[in-house]
């Protein structure tokens, strides 16, 4: 497991945030911005009203203070991938509950990118 400062490729939390912001600012989504369909990610979308625009806005608000750590991924197809972990607190509207107030939710976001400066992949985005 890594520490909060620098990953083995020499990137720190501010580098990760900078790359994320760069990807989002140029509007390149598709392969450069991928939220993969996984059970936890899908459950978040089933439980709360959260559009793609909302998710992008949340990603734009991430800061180095939301950074938790890095570690090597466990995907055998990409053994050298370094995964970066973030937590972000927000309020979301529960789905299917009429007149429900926003609820505080702590999101767990994992991402990696193929370096240098290419494909950014959001692996997890869930509570």
């Amino acid at each position: 497991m890594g520490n909060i400062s620098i990953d083995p490729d020499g990137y720190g939390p501010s580098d990760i945030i900078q790359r994320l912001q760069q990807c989002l600012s140029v509007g390149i989504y598709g392969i450069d911005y991928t939220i993969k369909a996984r059970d936890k990610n899908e459950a978040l979308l089933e439980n709360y009203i959260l559009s793609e625009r909302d998710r992008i806005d949340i990603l734009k608000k991430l800061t180095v203070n939301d950074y938790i750590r890095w570690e090597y991924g466990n995907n055998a197809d990409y053994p050298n991938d370094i995964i970066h972990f973030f937590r972000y607190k927000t309020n979301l509207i529960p789905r299917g509950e009429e007149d429900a107030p926003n609820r505080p939710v702590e999101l767990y976001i994992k991402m990696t990118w193929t370096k240098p400066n290419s494909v950014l992949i959001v692996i997890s985005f869930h509570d």
Side-chain angles (χ1 to χ4, degrees):
M1 185 176 304
N3 63 44
I4 196 163
S5 58
I6 304 294
D7 72 21
D9 290 335
Y11 295 99
S14 62
D15 299 310
I16 308 310
I17 293 294
Q18 180 181 7
R19 177 64 185 129
L20 174 63
Q21 299 306 325
Q22 179 186 22
C23 237
L24 295 170
S25 70
V26 296
I28 299 174
Y29 305 129
I31 63 168
D32 287 307
Y33 170 84
T34 306
I35 294 180
K36 296 191 173 190
R38 298 180 189 258
D39 290 345
K40 290 180 182 180
N41 298 339
E42 294 302 314
L44 178 70
L45 300 178
E46 290 172 10
N47 294 331
Y48 296 96
I49 297 172
L50 189 66
S51 69
E52 181 178 358
R53 172 80 341 223
D54 295 332
R55 289 178 281 167
I56 291 167
D57 288 344
I58 288 168
L59 291 173
K60 284 180 177 180
K61 292 176 185 174
L62 287 178
T63 70
V64 295
N65 294 326
D66 301 311
Y67 189 83
I68 303 170
R69 69 181 186 281
W70 65 266
E71 64 183 50
Y72 286 106
N74 57 8
N75 185 330
D77 293 333
Y78 304 97
N80 297 319
D81 274 2
I82 297 171
I83 311 300
H84 298 273
F85 297 80
F86 294 82
R87 283 189 202 248
Y88 184 80
K89 293 179 182 179
T90 190
N91 291 308
L92 299 175
I93 300 171
R95 189 177 293 281
E97 296 180 31
E98 192 172 329
D99 300 324
N102 286 358
R103 289 198 183 134
V105 176
E106 186 172 74
L107 297 173
Y108 180 73
I109 302 166
K110 290 184 346 185
M111 67 183 77
T112 188
W113 88 79
T114 57
K115 299 164 193 77
N117 296 326
S118 56
V119 180
L120 177 76
I121 303 169
V122 177
I123 300 168
S124 292
F125 194 110
H126 58 79
D127 56 343

